[in-house]
């Protein structure tokens, strides 16, 4: 049951299971709106014949749309009292999600660490989202700093071991997926897995401005009810001075921008790590830079491979002027003030 | 037939039936957009297994989305020349509406009263909306002040008797509805009908800013074509100085805000009365306060009961600072300038 | 294959065929969003019983929504390096498109003319969009001025002959369409084909403001990725100073505004020619004026006829103040600065 007012640090116990409320059926309506909100063009999500040719029974729901909806379910129980969303890891896309599927999310507390101030602490959860057939479709770890609301003694510190990245052997390749007949004409991008090189960098050509209505519509569509995204009146009284953009939507917009250059990266298999380096607001214009971190063959498959990519999201700056993602500031190395996203993720891509 | 330029007061005759144009099929697309526009999370509208568990054959269309669409059909014939929308009463939600259903609306003139100025008059209509099977799904009374456009003599005054509220015995409980197996885990709210007390007040915690694009998208989705919502150029030349938000959308946003505290109020059975106390505009942030006006058992049913609720919508003001909905102004008692909505409605809620 | 960076003038060859990428399945979600973005009310697109009564197997996708999506597919190959979109002609709506259909677009280069400067040239293409059954559903010619990127010699000049308008005999009337049982009550407009007169002018009463989020959501929904619509940061450095509205969306908004006065113009059969006379931006309010250019009977059919219409779109000006679409400026006749659209198109309308 969702605790009115949300959970505070002392409410979480190691091993505790939280069944999140409000399951959600994802429909064609959600998918259409997601296209309008991001401009995404990956055809496996919006062209039925393309999905069929890959062995899917229908267009798949965009991986990030599904993730945002599944993630949004955890907010009332996990992060509504969060001081900060500190990070996430080991995000696995386990099985295709189709329009009509209903997602439910459950979280397990896998780590707790009270901060030395005694005023808050870090909660680590593993969240799993299942479809209506109880099949696991998404799994991820995240950790948030949550306020304490009482003087209960600190729990024993337990910090889970987090994988640096999802290993190739752990990537879930859908059984029905078959890229042998893949035709690049349907994406317009001629480069396949074999054509990319580790270390290669791509400055994607397009930019996208996101207005306040865009990101608030998106975050409401995801049913993520964290208030700082919606309540401009209250946010005016904070140092931000205005509504803050949901970081997940920044990921979506940047992923959509990567289309020109990564046209055949048709599925996200994992998100290994991610940092929201600076806040984003309505009116910001985003640009995307990709780097190929690694290339992996998929055991037993010659029709597709995996690319581990770094996605750097930049706002209000021509990419040509971004010489480095980090700068020196008061003797410290920090993110460049225009860098908003530093994501490490893994895609599937057909082979020649 | 819709009269070009709309009907004026002298065009309405007691007993006249107006068959409104442009029936509308409500789809999953409309439902997804409604989630994005309001942030609503009531799972019976967006999670198929939850709807099935309640006996419905599919997710039901949000009661207010259906109402706004049905209501919008009446605008070209009834209120396009309205001086003011004065009120509505006896709004009954008669039967569940499902994605794929097509609504058509018909109105009957049930009252006429020319104002003493002779320049305008009040028209009372009973409107009924049917689905594609001619089944009545919605019924309501509203009254509007409409301009006169000629010197025709005043009609005989006829003012219908309006019920103060829809009596418990008149609430339409869908035959297929069965809440015996209802699980609160799916909403996250543990309180059921038996847990609420008459007189209880709830200040719902979240706030929602509605931008100009939000409310104009919503009102276009509802196909309500009252021009003052859309034409910023013309509205700039009025005392408002800008587009006016459709009051119905304010109801929708406030209803969505009540989720945290009324999670199990899964269906609206009636709207008894409502006042749009002050105008709302793009950029306003809304907050919602509920009061339990009454509790009713449903004859012959032990699985659910009805709550009569007052919903007070407030803009740009912390609810904690709202000590009363009314204030004294020049010796008169008027609504507090930040109160925008005062709604009296009835919901269904499962029992323990 | 889409050329990274897009095609320049020297990349186009007479007779060359370009198979555009990213086919698109149009769903109920797209249709709902289109209603919200334009306020359109033509019931054949949003009311299943109305569509059935006309012989269609389902609601048809709005003609312009389908056109914008089909057209958007050509942008990466044809016009991403365009100096200007010069015009289009002979746009034919060949077959109804239903929710669930998937559109793919192919273009053939039918004309080339290098400009005397040697810096750019005009490319003429015929584009054809097919559904998933390879049935042609849309066909159009457009011509764009494209930059040269090298010193290749000019190709032989070839300028196609463009029809002034789609002749009545060339209008595609769907075989399943039967308007004998058409009832005007469903649109609210009593005037049918026989009631309109050549030369007649209609100033449609409503106005519609389009915000930045509206037109960018629309253009992203159409998957038209021309950057000047989306990248406010880059556009701030151009003489426009801001994002430019996609001209096609202006057509959509103005077409929706024509509903009051042309309620029974249920299908667009052709667009004969069109000019975007002045640029449009977020915040502009649009008004529509129609003129009946011609009336055509449809050979072999007494249930419907065709009207050739001129649609003049005006922004931020009361239509009553628009005495002429053109004005004298420095001795030249140019479009009135508030006129944004001059469209010549043909609709189908039932007969009495």
């Amino acid at each position: 049951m969702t605790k009115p007012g949300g959970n505070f640090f002392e409410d979480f116990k190691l091993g505790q299971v939280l069944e999140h409320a409000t399951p959600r059926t994802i429909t064609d309506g959600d998918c259409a709106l997601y296209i309008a909100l991001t401009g995404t063009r990956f055809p496996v999500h919006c062209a039925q014949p393309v999905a069929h040719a890959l062995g899917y029974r229908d267009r798949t729901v965009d991986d990030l749309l599904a993730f945002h909806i599944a993630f949004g379910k955890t907010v009332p129980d996990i992060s509504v009292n969060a001081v900060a969303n500190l990070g996430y890891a080991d995000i696995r896309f386990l099985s295709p999600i189709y329009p009509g599927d209903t997602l439910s999310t459950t979280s397990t507390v896998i780590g707790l660490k009270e901060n030395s101030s005694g005023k808050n602490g870090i909660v680590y959860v593993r969240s799993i989202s299942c479809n209506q057939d109880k099949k696991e479709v998404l799994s991820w770890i995240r950790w948030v700093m949550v306020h304490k609301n009482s003087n209960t003694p600190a729990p024993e510190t337990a910090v889970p071991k987090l994988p640096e990245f999802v290993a190739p052997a752990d990537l879930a390749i859908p059984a029905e997926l078959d890229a042998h007949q893949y035709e690049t004409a349907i994406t317009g991008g001629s480069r396949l897995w074999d054509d990319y090189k580790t270390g290669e960098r791509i400055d994607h050509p397009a930019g996208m401005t996101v207005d306040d209505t865009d990101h608030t519509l998106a975050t409401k569509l995801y049913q993520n009810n964290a208030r700082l995204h919606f309540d401009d009146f209250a946010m005016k009284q904070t140092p931000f001075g205005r509504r803050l953009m949901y970081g997940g939507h920044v990921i979506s917009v940047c992923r959509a921008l990567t289309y020109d250059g990564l046209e055949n990266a048709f599925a996200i298999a994992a998100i290994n790590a991610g940092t929201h380096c600076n806040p984003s607001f309505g009116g910001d214009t985003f640009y995307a830079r990709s780097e190929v971190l690694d290339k992996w063959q998929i055991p037993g498959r010659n029709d597709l491979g995996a690319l581990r990519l770094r996605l750097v999201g930049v706002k209000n700056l021509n990419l040509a002027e971004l010489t480095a993602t980090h700068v020196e500031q008061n003797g410290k190395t920090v993110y460049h003030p225009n860098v908003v996203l530093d994501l490490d993720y893994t895609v599937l891509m057909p082979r020649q």
Side-chain angles (χ1 to χ4, degrees), chain A:
Chain A
M1 211 55 52
T2 306
K3 185 184 160 197
N7 289 311
F8 290 91
F9 181 69
E10 65 271 23
D11 295 317
F12 294 99
K13 309 293 167 204
L14 200 65
Q16 178 185 1
V17 175
L18 299 102
E19 291 186 25
H20 305 299
T22 63
R24 170 80 170 273
T25 305
I26 304 179
T27 71
D28 278 342
D30 301 307
C31 297
L33 200 38
Y34 190 75
I35 292 172
L37 288 163
T38 63
T40 187
R41 289 177 286 144
F42 291 98
V44 71
H45 307 310
C46 60
Q48 199 149 42
V50 175
H52 287 166
L54 276 163
Y56 295 117
R57 65 169 166 82
D58 195 355
R59 292 155 293 139
T60 56
V61 172
D62 189 285
D63 309 292
L64 292 172
L65 170 58
F67 175 72
H68 296 324
I69 288 176
F71 179 94
K73 299 307 164 199
T74 69
V75 168
D77 297 312
I78 305 293
S79 54
V80 82
N81 292 315
V83 186
N85 284 291
L86 297 176
Y88 35 81
D90 200 27
I91 305 182
R92 303 183 191 198
F93 297 81
L94 299 171
S95 186
I97 299 165
Y98 297 106
D101 282 355
T102 301
L103 303 193
S104 305
T105 305
T106 301
S107 297
T108 304
V109 179
I110 59 168
L112 289 170
K113 179 174 184 296
E114 184 163 310
N115 287 329
S116 54
S117 71
K119 293 186 177 167
N120 47 49
I122 301 174
V123 180
Y124 297 79
V125 293
R126 157 71 73 184
S127 300
I128 291 175
S129 198
C130 291
N131 70 12
Q132 66 281 0
D133 301 321
K134 311 288 178 207
K135 181 168 189 170
E136 296 187 2
V137 293
L138 276 164
S139 171
W140 69 95
I141 292 171
R142 74 168 169 138
W143 55 106
V144 295
M145 193 187 299
V146 182
H147 284 293
K148 277 190 79 170
N149 197 34
S150 67
N151 285 322
T152 44
E156 200 169 335
T157 291
V159 175
K161 188 165 157 43
L162 301 172
E164 191 198 340
F165 60 90
V166 179
D170 291 337
L171 297 175
I173 312 296
E176 62 268 53
L177 175 59
D178 178 355
H180 284 99
Q181 310 302 324
Y182 191 80
E183 294 181 46
T184 55
I186 54 107
T187 66
S190 59
R191 300 178 74 206
L192 294 170
W193 183 85
D194 302 86
D195 302 309
Y196 289 86
K197 286 179 184 37
T198 298
E200 174 179 354
R201 195 179 94 180
I202 304 166
D203 277 4
H204 303 284
M208 177 74 65
T209 302
V210 177
D211 295 316
D212 268 322
T213 305
D214 290 309
H215 73 83
T216 53
L217 280 175
T219 310
K220 287 180 282 185
L221 181 72
Y222 309 147
Q223 294 182 317
N224 177 327
N225 65 325
R227 287 167 213 160
L228 73 179
H229 306 312
F230 302 116
D231 185 337
D232 202 53
F233 181 76
M235 290 304 288
K236 279 206 167 71
Q237 296 153 45
T238 69
F240 291 121
R242 52 190 303 200
R243 286 167 283 179
L244 194 65
M245 196 179 299
Y246 165 50
H249 193 59
V250 175
I251 300 178
S252 284
V253 169
C254 290
R255 158 77 171 159
L257 290 171
T258 66
Y259 186 82
D260 294 311
L262 288 167
E263 295 87 348
N264 297 307
F266 70 92
I268 298 179
I271 297 177
N272 303 302
T275 303
H276 296 291
C277 322
N278 283 294
S280 298
F281 304 99
D284 283 342
T285 301
F286 297 96
Y287 302 93
R289 170 177 288 174
S290 292
E291 293 175 32
V292 180
L293 298 178
D294 211 343
K295 286 184 65 170
W296 297 318
Q297 299 200 37
I298 305 285
R301 304 206 55 147
N302 60 6
D303 60 333
L304 50 83
L307 291 181
R308 184 178 167 199
L309 298 168
R310 182 188 183 195
L311 170 57
V312 177
V314 175
K315 72 173 187 180
N316 308 331
L317 182 75
N318 198 314
L319 283 176
E321 296 173 28
L322 185 77
T323 49
T325 56
H326 289 73
V327 292
E328 295 294 311
Q329 195 179 67
N330 304 327
K332 289 199 301 185
T333 300
V334 298
Y335 273 103
H336 187 291
N338 294 71
V339 172
V340 291
L341 175 69
D342 195 352
L343 192 80
D344 179 337
Y345 74 120
T346 303
V347 297
L348 301 181
M349 194 181 278
R351 303 193 58 170
Q352 286 170 349

